[in-house]
Amino acid sequence: MELYEILVLVLSFVILLGIGVPVAWTLGVSGVLTILLSIDTITAFTTMAQRFVTSLDSFTLLAIPFFILAGQLMNQGGIATRLINFAKNVVGALPGGLAHINVVAAMLFGAIAGSSVAAASAIGSILGPRMEAEGYSKEFGAAINITSSTTGLIIPPSNTLIVYSLASGGTSIAALFIAGYLPGILIGLSLMAVAAVWTLYKDFPVGERGTFKELIKSFFVAFPSLFLLVVIIGGIVVGIFTATEAAAIAVVYTLVLGYFYNEISFGDLPDILMNAVKTTAIVMLLIATSVSMSWVMSFESIPQAISDGLLSLSESKVVILLLINLILLFVGMFMDMTPAVLIFTPIFLPIVTELGMDPIHFGIMMVLNLCIGICTPPVGTLLFVGVSIADTTIPKVIKPLLPLFAAMLIALLLVTFWPALSMWLPQLFGLA
């Protein structure tokens, strides 16, 4: 019976997605069709409706709309320009200076905004034309912008890590946030290494070295923006406030900062709020249908069947983790991060914990893995955003993307098989 239910779930999901049904509705309908195999119609629909509502009844999830709004305010509040100028004085004189500026600025902006799309839009729209004017190919600029923007999903605060905390049954958000720093920096350094080699190979120009005075000046100009990270992460780790309260503080802080920079006016607020509401509605609908589908799978014992199947293939921890990574890489090519985290965490988490892997470590590995997926065709959100901003095409961007993908895969393997990268900081702060 389990095999039959898995077949119905997978086939209905693939068919609905293939004919263009939105992911959220695909998840909901697939879940209903599967649960109908076990219980009567009225009970099935009533239960699913209850699951939709109760899945969103969470104080922790309230952090997501606040962080989304904070990201919208940052995107318009002049923060990106100040971070780019600071990054320019730090790494601009290295081989491939503008590419390094893109990576560092994306890491800083993405970490502050907690959104890869916001980072790609803000940094790409500013640096893209500048890179092209200085001789960099449009495609390389798009590729480095796309991949570097993923670092904001690993370096806290990150909405995806909050979703993982929910899906994993309450893994500490503070521990997840702290655990993301070293892997996020590792991704950034890996991309910078590829950019340096690519720049030397293509003979792209090297930027001028800024003076120490310019560095200090740019740091103080960017400091109010950077200080937000100290407020949010420091407050959560020390225990002054929760992640949800930190998100609300981030909204107030960025709003005041936007007015201070004279980049946001009262007239801008309706559009900013409307964009935040639209994004929040999409994310919450995805969460509701994803959590409901996860419940259906648990009810039908599908995760246990998959777990038994994977563990029967091999007793080697290395082989099992490689298989899980390959499955997630494949899933990431076709599914957005939020539903992927909500659906596959209950499936794979019991397997890896049985192998001795900490849930914090697995969460970072999973999110990093799915970050690669949003950069890949056919449905990579970040890929389409980056290509659109650069005014180019996906086939042209694929070639410069390949070595960057390779660097991200190497970083993924290091994070997977070197637990200290994820666990050292949480253990140092007594969070794990």
Side-chain angles (χ1 to χ4, degrees):
M1 190 62 181
E2 285 173 354
L3 182 61
Y4 181 54
E5 289 152 355
I6 292 173
L7 192 63
V8 170
L9 182 69
V10 172
L11 283 178
S12 60
F13 181 82
V14 171
I15 291 170
L16 290 170
L17 205 60
I19 62 176
V21 178
V23 174
W25 301 118
T26 297
L27 292 167
V29 173
S30 299
V32 170
L33 292 176
T34 305
I35 199 67
L36 282 171
L37 298 173
S38 302
I39 56 181
D40 63 86
T41 305
I42 299 299
T43 306
F45 279 101
T46 303
T47 302
M48 289 298 285
Q50 289 174 339
R51 290 290 163 183
F52 284 173
V53 175
T54 56
S55 64
L56 299 178
D57 186 15
S58 168
F59 179 73
T60 301
L61 282 182
L62 194 58
I64 293 178
F66 280 127
F67 276 129
I68 288 172
L69 177 55
Q72 293 287 341
L73 290 167
M74 292 173 199
N75 208 16
Q76 192 163 332
I79 291 175
T81 303
R82 289 161 177 81
L83 293 176
I84 287 172
N85 290 334
F86 174 58
K88 179 182 178 182
N89 284 291
V90 175
V91 296
L94 298 174
L98 281 177
H100 298 318
I101 293 169
N102 196 314
V103 174
V104 173
M107 289 171 67
L108 294 173
F109 186 85
I112 295 171
S115 168
S116 59
V117 172
S121 302
I123 305 301
S125 59
I126 296 171
L127 276 180
R130 191 182 301 181
M131 291 181 74
E132 192 176 357
E134 293 196 14
Y136 291 82
S137 68
K138 184 185 296 186
E139 290 71 31
F140 175 74
I144 200 72
N145 184 44
I146 290 165
T147 50
S148 63
S149 297
T150 62
T151 55
L153 299 174
I154 306 291
I155 301 173
S158 166
N159 288 336
T160 308
L161 290 176
I162 295 173
V163 172
Y164 172 78
S165 172
L166 172 73
S168 63
T171 303
S172 168
I173 294 177
L176 288 167
F177 277 7
I178 291 294
Y181 275 110
L182 292 182
I185 293 170
L186 175 64
I187 290 287
L189 292 175
S190 302
L191 296 176
M192 290 173 70
V194 172
V197 173
W198 188 271
T199 298
L200 293 172
Y201 175 68
K202 294 289 185 178
D203 197 27
F204 288 145
V206 177
E208 296 181 3
R209 185 178 299 278
T211 64
F212 181 73
K213 182 179 179 180
E214 290 172 335
L215 173 62
I216 296 300
K217 181 180 178 181
S218 64
F219 170 75
F220 278 109
V221 171
F223 180 76
S225 305
L226 296 171
F227 187 66
L228 179 60
L229 284 175
V230 179
V231 172
I232 293 175
I233 306 304
I236 293 173
V237 171
V238 174
I240 298 174
F241 39 68
T242 65
T244 302
E245 292 163 345
I249 290 169
V251 171
V252 176
Y253 188 97
T254 50
L255 183 60
V256 171
L257 201 59
Y259 281 119
F260 175 75
Y261 285 154
N262 200 28
E263 300 279 356
I264 296 177
S265 65
F266 282 107
D268 298 323
L269 290 180
D271 287 338
I272 292 172
L273 290 170
M274 182 58 69
N275 289 333
V277 168
K278 288 178 180 177
T279 304
T280 299
I282 294 169
V283 171
M284 290 303 176
L285 182 59
L286 279 169
I287 290 174
T289 53
S290 300
V291 171
S292 301
M293 189 178 184
S294 296
W295 176 84
V296 169
M297 291 192 296
S298 297
F299 182 82
E300 302 290 359
S301 300
I302 291 174
Q304 185 60 45
I306 296 173
S307 174
D308 292 341
L310 268 178
L311 292 173
S312 67
L313 291 175
S314 174
E315 295 182 358
S316 170
K317 180 179 179 179
V318 173
V319 172
I320 297 298
L321 289 178
L322 286 175
L323 284 172
I324 290 174
N325 271 316
L326 287 173
I327 293 169
L328 289 175
L329 285 169
F330 179 77
V331 166
M333 294 172 64
F334 299 95
M335 190 181 292
D336 192 55
M337 290 186 73
T338 298
V341 168
L342 288 165
I343 292 170
F344 288 95
T345 297
I347 294 175
F348 292 136
L349 186 57
I351 301 174
V352 297
T353 50
E354 188 172 331
L355 295 172
M357 192 180 212
D358 192 282
I360 298 170
H361 180 196
F362 177 68
I364 300 301
M365 183 195 88
M366 186 181 208
V367 172
L368 197 160
N369 190 307
L370 294 172
C371 281
I372 300 174
I374 62 173
C375 301
T376 57
V379 293
T381 308
L382 202 53
L383 176 65
F384 287 103
V385 170
V387 166
S388 174
I389 291 169
D391 193 24
T392 184
T393 62
I394 291 176
K396 291 180 179 178
V397 173
I398 292 298
K399 183 178 179 181
L401 267 177
L402 291 176
L404 296 168
F405 281 153
M408 295 180 78
L409 287 171
I410 292 170
L412 173 62
L413 290 174
L414 286 172
V415 169
T416 301
F417 297 109
W418 189 7
L421 274 174
S422 302
M423 298 304 299
W424 180 67
L425 283 178
Q427 290 169 350
L428 183 66
F429 283 92
L431 299 171

